[in-house]
Amino acid sequence: MLTVKKLLKSSLIAGSIGLLLFSLSGCGKKVENTGQNAAKPVTKQVVEAFGVVKSSEVKTINLDIPAVVTKVNVAEGQTVNRGETLISLDTENYQNQIRSKQLELSNLQLELADIERNYEAKRDGLDNSSDPNIKKYINERKHAEELYASAVKELTAREELYKAGVFSLEELNHFRDTANEKKKAVDDAVYSEESRRKEIQNELADLITSRDEKNSKAVSLEFDIQTMQKKLSKSYLKDNDIIADADNGVVGEIGCAQGDIISADQEKKILTILNKDSLYVEADVAEEFIKDVKIGAEVAINPQADKSRTYKGKVVTIAEKAVQKDNETIIPVRIAIGKKDSFLLPEFNVDVTISAENKKQDQK
């Protein structure tokens, strides 16, 4: 019986990253030496490294509205389910701001409607001469034109009589003055009508300016209201509570305490929620061993909290950039976890054993 056994193992100084290279061949059948080369044993290589369980879905809940934290209902590390109340708030001040803007917008809309009615009435009065003053001046002009026509007719007759010597020049001039007065009355009525029309045109221009200014303000108010309401329509806000919007979450860092006053001037981090259904392992592989790690490689994961447990995984990404960590140069490697259970939690430390690519066979 021929047995060959070779074991190579390298470990990092800090003990956090290691490479284990080993080759094993089981007991083979007895082979006669016929002068031919014996079959070479298969070499199996692995890379050992240290890793941390993380969640790919970490939701940071920020608040950018004025509020007061009335109660913190959870603790860091607590498991929470969808709809569970995390933080209770008092947002009455913010709600009042929205209501105030809504009332202002409602008043503006009433004013705009009144401006529109006034504009249409004046426009109609101008176009159809239905404005009371325009109608008055039109009637005055018509009456003055009639009187003027009568005065001109009488003046013409008087001029004939003057030519015949019946009237003196002084009497004729008197009739001419009367006719001129009637003509002036016509001109005054025409001028009054034109002035009123110009006055209405100026009023219409003022109404348009006012309408445009109020429309612009109304649009701005509508935008403000929508923006403010949108801040209240987030998936993690319900009434005056911040709730969990993940089915299987765990509370991360809490950034507020009961009694905290939150200002709208600066967005405040309230807490983070980690999704336990999207866990993965981030392992640190020493740079001298990264050449042996490939995408899709199988991985054995052993949590330090219970090393008797083993989870299967696969390498899904290898970082394109090395980093310095604990005075060592490492390359972060992401490992997808296969079948998970409730024991494995975010931030657990784990040991990983990565099946490395077997490039060479051991020599006999």
Side-chain angles (χ1 to χ4, degrees), residues 31-129:
V31 180
E32 290 186 7
N33 188 353
T34 61
Q36 297 178 349
N37 292 333
K40 295 180 180 179
V42 177
T43 301
K44 184 177 181 182
Q45 295 178 330
V46 297
V47 174
E48 288 186 338
F50 173 78
V52 177
V53 178
K54 296 182 177 295
S55 174
S56 61
E57 296 181 21
V58 180
K59 185 164 191 176
T60 300
I61 296 179
N62 296 317
L63 207 60
D64 54 356
I65 62 173
V68 178
V69 178
T70 58
K71 187 176 181 182
V72 178
N73 300 286
V74 291
E76 292 183 5
Q78 179 178 332
T79 298
V80 291
N81 298 313
R82 185 178 296 276
E84 188 172 340
T85 300
L86 308 177
I87 307 289
S88 298
L89 304 169
D90 179 0
T91 61
E92 185 63 24
N93 183 36
Y94 190 66
Q95 300 280 4
N96 285 337
Q97 290 179 27
I98 294 176
R99 285 191 285 268
S100 176
K101 287 182 178 292
Q102 288 173 329
L103 179 60
E104 186 178 357
L105 176 61
S106 178
N107 290 335
L108 262 178
Q109 289 170 338
L110 291 174
E111 291 174 13
L112 281 166
D114 187 58
I115 288 174
E116 193 65 29
R117 285 191 297 269
N118 198 6
Y119 179 86
E120 291 299 327
K122 288 183 180 297
R123 182 82 259 177
D124 180 71
L126 182 64
D127 294 342
N128 300 318
S129 300

Side-chain angles (χ1 to χ4, degrees), residues 301-348:
I301 304 165
N302 297 101
Q304 292 188 3
D306 184 356
K307 294 188 177 182
S308 67
R309 294 175 180 266
T310 300
Y311 301 86
K312 292 183 179 181
K314 282 191 177 183
V315 175
V316 290
T317 61
I318 301 172
E320 298 287 334
K321 180 180 178 297
V323 297
Q324 293 293 319
K325 188 174 183 180
D326 297 329
N327 297 320
E328 296 290 337
T329 302
I330 59 97
I331 291 84
V333 173
R334 177 175 286 204
I335 299 167
I337 307 171
K339 186 177 181 181
K340 299 183 284 288
D341 57 26
S342 60
F343 178 78
L344 204 61
L345 298 174
E347 304 306 321
F348 263 17

Side-chain angles (χ1 to χ4, degrees), residues 114-183:
D114 187 58
I115 288 174
E116 193 65 29
R117 285 191 297 269
N118 198 6
Y119 179 86
E120 291 299 327
K122 288 183 180 297
R123 182 82 259 177
D124 180 71
L126 182 64
D127 294 342
N128 300 318
S129 300
S130 58
D131 175 74
N133 287 326
I134 291 178
K135 290 174 69 174
K136 171 188 173 184
Y137 297 136
I138 288 175
N139 291 332
E140 288 180 354
R141 174 177 56 81
K142 288 179 179 180
H143 180 64
E145 287 173 341
E146 291 174 357
L147 294 177
Y148 174 61
S150 177
V152 169
K153 185 178 180 180
E154 188 172 354
L155 176 60
T156 302
R158 300 298 178 182
E159 286 176 341
E160 293 297 325
L161 293 173
Y162 168 75
K163 291 177 181 179
V166 177
F167 282 100
S168 66
L169 179 60
E170 182 180 356
E171 290 175 319
L172 178 63
N173 287 337
H174 173 73
F175 280 99
R176 282 177 178 169
D177 291 341
T178 301
N180 288 334
E181 289 176 1
K182 302 301 182 184
K183 177 64 170 63

